[in-house]
Amino acid sequence: LSGFGLEGELHEINVAGARLARKAGGDSVFVAGAIGPLGIRIEPYGPTGLEEAREMIKRQARALLEGGVDLFLLETFSNLSEIEQGILAIRDICSVPVIAQMTISNEGRTVYGDTPRSIGKRLDAAGADVIGLNCSVGPDVMLDAIEELGSVTSKRISCLPNAGQPREIQGRQMYMASPDYVGKYAKRLIHKGVKYIGGCCGTTPDHVKAIADNVRPLSPRRH
């Protein structure tokens, strides 16, 4: 928020956002407090210390808790050390569930070169309740990566791919994967062991509906 001169409103913004989601969802859904990367380089790649990063994330987590979230979603991290500090920050203040998700490139690795196997092992050891991948690539790239990640952990797996790779059309970034395409891949991801499925950049309500329609027959029945 400091880039917009709003760092002094971190608490108020996060509390308000969580309360809006809580009001919209009512009692029928779980509300997740989403926390992304800090946007600064932390050691050993930059000047910000691990403990300092942990305290920054903790401030946001406290505000989201005050706003009424049921769980936390750490998402779109590319630095394993940073997301580990995120998990520790949340564990310092509460015991609610934590979903921890990294982002990978088309080559199936983070920008720092970490493989899905490394992601699975380290996030499991760090204490995440659910481990997964989100953003940057479409569901086709996610498929093999999820299988590799799932081979090294017994934790539940999540996956929120983009709606394909974006292309620039008349000055706008357009995501090219159709709802039908994303929905069909959602079913394949479930068969690979994913328990929590959704979408990231480019996902529309139509994509979400297609995902739900495709995976609903695979969901356990409630009585």
Side-chain angles (χ1 to χ4, degrees):
L1 293 172
S2 60
F4 302 93
L6 296 171
E7 62 271 25
E9 299 181 41
L10 180 146
H11 185 84
E12 291 78 6
I13 289 171
N14 281 277
V15 170
R19 285 177 177 168
L20 284 169
R22 178 81 279 160
K23 182 178 179 181
D27 297 325
S28 61
V29 300
F30 293 109
V31 173
I35 299 176
L38 294 170
I40 53 179
R41 291 188 177 274
I42 65 173
E43 60 181 353
Y45 305 105
T48 304
L50 294 177
E51 285 292 332
E52 187 179 358
R54 184 167 166 179
E55 287 302 315
M56 290 178 182
I57 296 170
K58 198 182 298 185
R59 287 178 60 204
Q60 186 180 2
R62 282 198 181 101
L64 290 167
L65 266 182
E66 185 178 325
V69 301
D70 301 298
L71 67 153
F72 284 99
L73 174 62
L74 297 169
E75 59 178 345
T76 326
F77 282 78
S78 55
N79 184 334
L80 270 167
S81 295
E82 185 177 7
I83 196 171
E84 285 171 339
Q85 292 307 307
I87 296 168
L88 292 172
I90 293 167
R91 289 288 178 251
D92 283 345
I93 61 173
C94 67
S95 59
V96 302
V98 177
I99 301 174
Q101 296 180 160
M102 300 287 290
T103 187
I104 58 172
S105 68
N106 282 320
E107 287 69 44
R109 295 170 178 261
T110 70
V111 296
Y112 293 99
D114 296 301
T115 65
R117 288 180 65 86
S118 297
I119 291 170
K121 288 179 179 179
R122 285 184 61 174
L123 296 189
D124 190 322
D129 298 290
V130 179
I131 298 168
L133 303 171
N134 79 289
C135 202
S136 296
V137 297
D140 53 338
V141 177
M142 291 280 191
L143 203 61
D144 291 337
I146 282 292
E147 185 171 23
E148 184 181 336
L149 185 153
S151 69
V152 295
T153 179
S154 60
K155 299 290 180 68
R156 294 190 178 192
I157 305 298
S158 65
C159 186
L160 282 73
N162 284 355
Q165 294 281 8
R167 295 181 187 172
E168 187 169 330
I169 300 175
Q170 297 181 345
R172 296 179 60 195
Q173 291 291 316
M174 305 293 289
Y175 289 84
M176 308 309 294
S178 69
D180 182 62
Y181 174 89
V182 172
K184 288 178 179 177
Y185 262 95
K187 184 181 288 187
R188 296 177 69 180
L189 285 161
I190 293 291
H191 285 304
K192 290 289 187 181
V194 170
K195 299 297 184 185
Y196 301 88
I197 187 89
C200 202
C201 302
T203 305
T204 68
D206 289 336
H207 288 86
V208 174
K209 184 178 187 303
I211 291 170
D213 289 345
N214 275 272
V215 305
R216 187 172 288 113
L218 307 174
S219 300
R221 291 185 177 273
R222 292 183 178 181
H223 300 285

